[in-house]
């Protein structure tokens, strides 16, 4: 048969290629790694493999594993673990394979980059080499953070352990049976890589306008403006920068200072506050908060982010790509031709205060009316969650989620209906049309890092380090940040936010408010699950919904959450434990 296929191929292609050549690639088609020395695009491909593996390149909606959301997609992996099916074999939060693969590519790149001819002139090659090494170190730190977030934990010895620290490219002959480093050593490796990235990268990628603006270290090499812009200019705006590396440092430090990890490392709340404070200072301090930052996904902000540009809210993002409607197709309610996948919970709705700033539970001061539960609320509620009676879509369709709704938008009407009485609104473009007769998509923005995350990281750490109004070495306090965030949201703007002022001297109450603001501002962006765990808080609060019938509002349990205490830390993959005797599993797994 092989001979017949070969003869047929020769006849049809009029080729003298041998049959062996057709079925086995020629040796010259398999590039040796040394080829990268003279093919910079080949070498750069190793680095770009790191970018393609960044976990926040798309929305995970792991909120489904928390008290913030459920899903009507019955096969959803996050729903499975939330309802008792989380194991070291079944782990949708696993970063072991993805992040370790990324680090392997990055280490391979770092092993060869000094030998690559990045340009025809030596000085330009030096700049390219510096920049891409800086990117690699920043990315390696980021992937180490994700490994720690997913897999750090206490072993049977009671010691808080991190992950193996691999700084060299591993070949087939390498010994892969590594021990886990301590959490402290793993954090110090993150800091070391961030420092290298900061030393090599510009704050941002922007063109300079004169030779005098070339950094001193490159002026010493007689580098001129044009060559500098060729390497560090606007063309590379979506790549790793010094500013992004500093934000990663703040993000990692916040995790390390938190209750679940603080006893296993030397990072303090003050450290975390100062790292975040530096990023904030460089963005103009408290006054630099983007007025539209909470609505970064809406038309005006998205349209401003073309040609790699960012608004002041977005630190780092994925390229916006081509116009699409996939997100809306998954999340719009049925009457808008969507599948209604993510359903916010009553738990989350209750977390939004009244517009006057008081929690809904403070009946005496808030003015909350259980029979009109969506009136006079924090504006973020209706920006982020589609409640009964609200309008949505290009035609401003009224959404009826009641039990006796005449449409499939009603509670549990069909498999694509809401299970909680709510649909998702945040992240969605309301100018997307899913009607099969006139479908149209729009550009979307997926941030990898937002300034709001950094503001809230600072507020949390500063409150723990210095109290609500303390500033340490910074010029602003946790109170200042939270005041600005709530003002931007439209909370307490007509009355001076008396609730915030009431608690401004109470560290414990301010802690709860900061955590709640983080829950609201970052909802559906993949933070809640990790936050609950690093705070050592309860993962088992049942997800609740609301049943509306004949103007009667009844809260009910939609889905229980089933977690064991040891799940405060995630597992090392079971397959890795079987393969490598030096790997210790976290307790309970």
């Amino acid at each position: 048969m092989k001979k017949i296929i070969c003869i047929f191929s020769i006849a049809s292609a009029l080729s003298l290629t041998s049959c062996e050549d057709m079925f086995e690639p020629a040796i010259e088609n398999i590039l040796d790694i040394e080829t990268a020395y003279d093919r910079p695009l080949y070498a750069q491909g190793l680095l770009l493999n790191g970018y393609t593996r960044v976990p926040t390149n798309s929305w995970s909606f792991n909120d489904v594993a928390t008290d913030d959301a459920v899903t009507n997609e019955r096969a959803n992996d996050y729903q499975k673990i939330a309802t008792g099916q989380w194991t070291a074999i079944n782990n949708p939060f696993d970063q072991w394979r993805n992040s370790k693969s990324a680090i392997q590519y990055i280490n391979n790149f770092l092993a060869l980059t000094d030998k690559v001819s990045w340009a025809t002139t030596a000085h330009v090659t030096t700049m390219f080499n510096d920049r891409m090494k800086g990117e690699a170190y920043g990315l390696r730190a980021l992937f180490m953070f994700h490994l720690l977030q997913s897999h750090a934990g206490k072993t049977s010895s009671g010691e808080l352990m991190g992950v193996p620290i691999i700084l060299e490219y591993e070949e087939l002959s390498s010994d892969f049976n590594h021990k886990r480093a301590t959490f402290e050593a793993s954090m110090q490796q993150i800091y070391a890589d961030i420092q290298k990235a900061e030393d090599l990268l510009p704050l941002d990628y922007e063109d300079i306008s004169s030779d005098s603006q070339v950094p001193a270290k490159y002026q010493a090499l007689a580098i001129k403006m044009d060559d500098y812009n060729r390497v560090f200019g606007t063309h590379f705006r979506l790549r790793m920068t010094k500013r992004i590396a500093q934000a990663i440092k703040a993000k990692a430090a916040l995790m390390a200072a938190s209750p679940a990890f603080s006893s296993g490392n030397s990072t303090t709340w003050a450290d975390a506050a100062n790292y975040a404070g530096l990023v904030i200072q460089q963005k103009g301090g408290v006054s630099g908060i983007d007025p539209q930052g909470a609505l970064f996904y809406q038309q005006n902000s998205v349209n401003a982010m073309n040609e790699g540009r960012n608004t002041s809210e977005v630190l780092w993002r994925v390229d916006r790509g081509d116009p699409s409607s996939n997100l809306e197709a998954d999340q719009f309610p049925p009457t808008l031709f969507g599948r209604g996948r993510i359903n916010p919970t009553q738990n989350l709705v209750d977390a939004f205060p009244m517009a006057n700033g008081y929690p809904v539970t403070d009946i005496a001061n808030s003015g909350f009316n259980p029979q009109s539960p969506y009136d006079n609320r924090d504006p973020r509620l209706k920006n982020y969650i589609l409640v009964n009676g609200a309008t949505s879509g290009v035609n401003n369709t009224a959404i009826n989620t009641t039990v006796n709704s005449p449409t499939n938008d009603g509670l549990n009407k069909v498999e694509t209906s809401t299970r909680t009485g709510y649909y998702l609104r945040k992240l969605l473009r309301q100018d997307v049309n899913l009607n099969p007769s006139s479908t149209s998509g729009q550009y979307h923005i997926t941030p990898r890092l937002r300034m709001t995350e950094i503001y809230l990281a600072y507020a949390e750490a500063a409150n723990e380090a210095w109290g609500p109004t303390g500033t340490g070495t910074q010029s602003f306090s946790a109170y200042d940040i939270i005041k600005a965030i709530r003002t931007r949201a439209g909370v307490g703007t007509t009355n001076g936010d008396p609730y915030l002022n009431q608690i401004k001297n109470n560290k414990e109450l301010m802690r709860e408010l900061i955590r709640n603001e983080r829950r609201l501002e970052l909802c559906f962006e993949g933070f809640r699950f990790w936050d609950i765990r690093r705070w050592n808080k309860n993962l088992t609060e049942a997800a609740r919904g609301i049943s509306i019938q004949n103007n009667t509002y009844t809260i009910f349990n939609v889905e229980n959450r089933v977690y064991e205490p040891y799940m405060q830390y995630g597992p090392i993959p079971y397959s890795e434990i079987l393969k490598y005797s030096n790997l210790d599993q976290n307790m309970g797994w």
Side-chain angles (χ1 to χ4, degrees), residues 460-476:
E460 180 180 341
N463 181 60
E464 299 297 338
W466 311 308
T469 59
T471 59
T473 59
Q474 306 298 321
S475 60
F476 41 84

Side-chain angles (χ1 to χ4, degrees), residues 7 77 122 134 168 223 251 265 372 377 404 434 456:
I7 293 172
D77 287 337
E168 304 293 333
I223 296 293
K251 186 181 181 85
N265 74 106
S372 300
R377 297 291 293 275
N404 56 348
L434 297 179
L456 291 166

Side-chain angles (χ1 to χ4, degrees), residues 237-419:
R237 276 175 173 158
L238 298 181
R239 299 285 195 97
M240 176 70 63
T241 65
K242 180 178 181 178
R243 192 190 302 274
I244 293 167
Q246 290 170 338
I248 293 169
K249 185 177 184 180
K251 186 181 181 85
L254 183 72
M255 175 184 69
S258 298
F261 302 100
S262 59
S263 63
N265 74 106
S266 59
T267 300
T268 65
W269 284 117
D271 291 332
N274 286 326
Y275 299 154
L278 174 61
V279 180
I280 294 170
Q281 286 175 351
Q282 292 174 162
K283 278 284 191 174
V286 178
S287 62
I289 290 180
D290 185 347
Q292 296 300 311
L295 303 175
F296 66 90
Y297 52 90
Q298 291 190 349
Q299 180 177 358
N300 289 342
S301 292
V302 173
N303 288 348
M305 287 186 270
N306 60 354
E307 297 180 349
R309 296 183 182 89
N310 287 329
T311 60
S312 56
E313 168 65 17
V314 177
L315 276 170
W316 192 29
R317 64 175 173 87
V318 180
D319 188 3
R320 67 183 191 173
D322 296 323
S324 71
S325 59
N326 297 332
L327 194 59
E328 288 73 21
D330 271 342
Q331 308 305 340
F332 272 178
T335 53
L336 297 180
F337 305 96
R339 291 182 280 273
R341 289 304 191 205
I342 302 301
N343 307 153
T345 61
Q346 186 65 40
N347 313 53
L348 178 58
V349 169
D350 288 344
F352 288 88
M354 300 298 288
N356 63 16
Y358 285 97
V360 296
T361 53
D362 188 347
I363 302 299
N365 295 301
S366 69
F368 175 69
N369 182 358
Q371 295 307 308
S372 300
Y374 313 125
D375 292 344
N376 303 316
R377 297 291 293 275
D378 176 343
R380 290 173 294 188
L381 172 58
K382 291 183 181 179
N383 283 335
Y384 294 168
I385 296 175
L386 193 54
V387 304
N388 180 55
T391 59
S392 184
V394 292
N395 296 319
N396 291 318
T397 303
I399 305 301
N400 187 329
T401 67
T402 63
V403 173
N404 56 348
S405 171
T407 73
N408 286 338
D409 295 339
L411 183 70
N412 290 321
K413 277 298 186 76
V414 294
E415 64 179 10
T416 55
S417 302
T418 176
R419 298 173 61 206

Side-chain angles (χ1 to χ4, degrees), residues 121-289:
T121 59
H123 294 339
V124 176
T125 287
T126 296
M127 288 195 296
F128 270 119
N129 192 35
D130 284 353
R131 195 202 78 210
M132 283 191 273
K133 280 203 293 188
E135 293 177 56
Y137 289 125
L139 285 170
R140 191 165 70 180
L142 176 64
F143 285 110
M144 178 63 86
F145 162 77
H146 283 290
L147 282 169
L148 292 180
Q149 182 176 248
S150 294
H151 302 291
K154 293 182 179 179
T155 63
S156 57
S157 68
E159 186 175 14
L160 186 64
M161 301 300 292
V163 295
I165 298 174
I166 311 298
L167 305 180
E168 304 293 333
Y169 172 60
E170 294 183 294
E171 301 182 2
L172 290 175
S173 59
S174 299
D175 181 5
F176 296 94
N177 193 11
H178 303 288
K179 291 184 177 181
R180 294 171 66 182
T182 63
F183 185 85
E184 167 70 358
S186 301
M187 283 299 304
Q188 292 304 318
Q189 182 56 49
I190 289 177
Y191 294 150
D193 276 345
I194 292 294
Q195 186 59 61
K196 291 177 182 177
E198 289 187 67
D199 292 343
L200 293 168
L201 294 172
L203 191 63
D204 298 299
Y205 293 114
E206 295 297 334
D207 289 343
I208 60 174
S209 56
S210 68
D211 291 342
S212 64
Q213 293 176 281
V214 174
K217 66 177 179 179
Y218 296 129
Q219 286 190 17
L221 299 177
I223 296 293
K224 301 299 183 184
M225 175 189 72
D226 288 343
D227 280 338
Y228 182 83
N229 288 341
R230 175 185 168 192
V231 180
F232 293 106
T234 57
H235 183 68
F236 299 100
R237 276 175 173 158
L238 298 181
R239 299 285 195 97
M240 176 70 63
T241 65
K242 180 178 181 178
R243 192 190 302 274
I244 293 167
Q246 290 170 338
I248 293 169
K249 185 177 184 180
K251 186 181 181 85
L254 183 72
M255 175 184 69
S258 298
F261 302 100
S262 59
S263 63
N265 74 106
S266 59
T267 300
T268 65
W269 284 117
D271 291 332
N274 286 326
Y275 299 154
L278 174 61
V279 180
I280 294 170
Q281 286 175 351
Q282 292 174 162
K283 278 284 191 174
V286 178
S287 62
I289 290 180

Side-chain angles (χ1 to χ4, degrees), residues 3 66 75 85 87-88 106 109 123 137 150 163 174 200 204 249 272 367 398 420 493 526 558 570 572 576:
K3 185 179 295 184
T66 76
Q85 300 180 56
T87 69
I106 290 166
F109 173 82
H123 294 339
Y137 289 125
S150 294
V163 295
S174 299
L200 293 168
D204 298 299
K249 185 177 184 180
T420 63
T493 55
V558 178
I572 305 298
E576 299 298 294

